[in-house]
Amino acid sequence: MTNNTTYRILLAGFLLLACSCIKDEDLRPCPPLKVNIEVKDKNYFNVGAVESEQRLDENLPFKAYVPTLYYRLQLLNDDGTATLMTEHKLADVEGDEQSIEVVFPDAYPHGKYVMTTWGGLHDMAALDENREQVTFHPKRKGGDDIYMSRDTLVYDPYKYAYTVELERTKGKLIVEGKNLPPEIHYSTKQIASVARHMDVTFHYWKPTALYEENNWEGQRDVVFKTLSSPSLSERGTQVTIQCFDSPQHDVALLTPPPVKLTIERNRLSAIRYIYEGQDKFKVYVLINDNWELIHDMDIE
């Protein structure tokens, strides 16, 4: 063996030893597992399509998009089970950082981990016991702007720093009323057949409905926004509006025709009702980010 060959072997061995780490208190400790949590869906995909929805600055603090945070880290065992290593209780996000850095204890063993993160919840009642399913609209209300991420992390001496991105789980329905009669200042809205549940794979299932009441004074043009889980099929959600002169209503003074549309995750859906007089409306629906007039044959 030549001197050059011997030198290269010794140098390679030295570099390998210098760059390696062993989880033993007598040797240099390995870097701990570190995860940076970021917000992916800061704005709706089609935020520019509806004038009444303002685009948010993409460089605001994390808490401006997601005000609360919960996460748990599980170690995946060889037998297919999972061991809970860390559970960060739901808490308000503090500070003005644009991302949240989490450094786990360096005593954690190397292996494969799963990190489940939920954001925007005001309490944990919507999540199941394993924190892997969420139930939307339990009281038929729009509720929280909920975010989620589910990530598999391989932790070893060479892979220990990760970034995970929270994605919005709901869409938003915007209903605009224009040129309304002055005596109308109260309405009810039912959004029927949207998803009741979602799991950590963004699979949605089982229908539910939302119901809202809105009251206003002295306005002929109104805008109302509802956070809604997605439709379960294309044009599978029906929106029904009734208009009254007061909350103590008996019979609706105006009833625009019900409209079927599609509500999607992190996307704006919108309906515009323009009153033309004599109990008639022109109805426009946002389709492919363009306002399209809905004719009688299109309304169900």
Side-chain angles (χ1 to χ4, degrees):
M1 183 180 296
T2 66
N3 290 337
N4 285 341
T5 301
T6 301
Y7 172 77
R8 286 197 295 270
I9 292 174
L10 291 174
L11 179 61
F14 172 78
L15 291 175
L16 180 62
L17 184 62
C19 294
S20 298
C21 65
I22 300 177
K23 285 191 169 294
D24 188 304
E25 60 186 16
D26 296 329
L27 298 174
R28 180 176 66 87
C30 290
L33 178 62
K34 180 171 67 176
V35 178
N36 202 49
I37 305 173
E38 297 182 351
V39 180
K40 181 178 181 180
D41 297 328
K42 298 177 179 179
N43 281 289
Y44 291 90
F45 294 138
N46 60 337
V47 65
V50 184
E51 292 180 359
S52 59
E53 183 71 13
Q54 300 301 312
R55 181 184 297 274
L56 292 176
D57 188 326
E58 295 276 341
N59 297 307
L60 296 174
F62 186 101
K63 64 184 179 184
Y65 315 105
V66 180
T68 64
L69 196 64
Y70 163 90
Y71 59 82
R72 57 165 33 192
L73 184 75
Q74 295 170 286
L75 174 64
L76 296 180
N77 303 313
D78 293 338
D79 62 0
T81 61
T83 301
L84 180 62
M85 304 296 289
T86 293
E87 183 174 38
H88 180 272
K89 302 296 184 181
L90 182 70
D92 293 337
V93 177
E94 299 180 350
D96 294 326
E97 292 78 14
Q98 294 181 356
S99 61
I100 305 298
E101 183 181 75
V102 181
V103 180
F104 295 102
D106 58 13
Y108 284 3
H110 290 153
K112 184 179 289 188
Y113 291 81
V114 170
M115 184 172 177
T116 305
T117 310
W118 293 92
L121 293 163
H122 75 274
D123 61 38
M124 298 293 285
L127 299 183
D128 71 334
E129 183 178 353
N130 296 322
R131 313 311 187 200
E132 296 188 352
Q133 294 181 11
V134 62
T135 297
F136 298 116
H137 316 305
K139 297 181 179 180
R140 301 182 70 191
K141 303 299 181 183
D144 302 323
D145 193 5
I146 302 172
Y147 284 73
M148 194 277 296
S149 72
R150 169 84 159 192
D151 301 273
T152 300
L153 315 173
V154 176
Y155 174 41
D156 62 29
Y158 310 101
K159 295 188 287 290
Y160 49 83
Y162 290 90
T163 295
V164 303
E165 295 182 309
L166 289 172
E167 299 181 66
R168 182 180 272 117
T169 65
K170 293 181 179 179
K172 182 182 286 188
L173 174 64
I174 300 176
V175 174
E176 301 179 359
K178 293 186 175 295
N179 198 35
L180 298 175
E183 64 270 20
I184 297 296
H185 49 81
Y186 179 82
S187 68
T188 63
K189 175 170 73 252
Q190 178 172 278
I191 305 169
S193 194
V194 294
R196 182 187 297 270
H197 304 293
M198 187 202 80
D199 65 18
V200 290
T201 67
F202 283 94
H203 169 64
Y204 297 87
W205 75 96
K206 197 173 182 179
T208 189
L210 289 79
Y211 178 82
E212 292 188 344
E213 301 180 5
N214 299 111
N215 200 351
W216 66 93
E217 291 284 351
Q219 296 172 260
R220 302 194 66 182
D221 295 344
V222 295
V223 178
F224 300 110
K225 302 179 181 182
T226 306
L227 292 170
S228 172
S229 57
S231 305
L232 294 172
S233 61
E234 186 174 358
R235 297 185 71 240
T237 297
Q238 179 167 291
V239 180
T240 304
I241 305 288
Q242 291 187 304
C243 301
F244 305 86
D245 58 356
S246 75
Q248 292 75 35
H249 58 276
D250 294 316
V251 179
L253 298 183
L254 292 175
T255 302
V259 175
K260 286 196 171 183
L261 46 67
T262 306
I263 297 175
E264 300 178 67
R265 185 194 75 78
N266 197 49
R267 184 171 289 276
L268 300 174
S269 302
I271 308 172
R272 179 177 290 163
Y273 298 94
I274 302 178
Y275 185 62
E276 295 189 297
Q278 299 182 342
D279 299 340
K280 293 183 179 181
F281 287 85
K282 276 189 176 180
V283 183
Y284 293 82
V285 177
L286 192 69
I287 299 176
N288 296 324
D289 297 343
N290 293 301
W291 288 105
E292 295 191 11
L293 178 64
I294 301 301
H295 300 284
D296 291 343
M297 68 182 67
D298 300 317
I299 297 174
E300 300 181 20

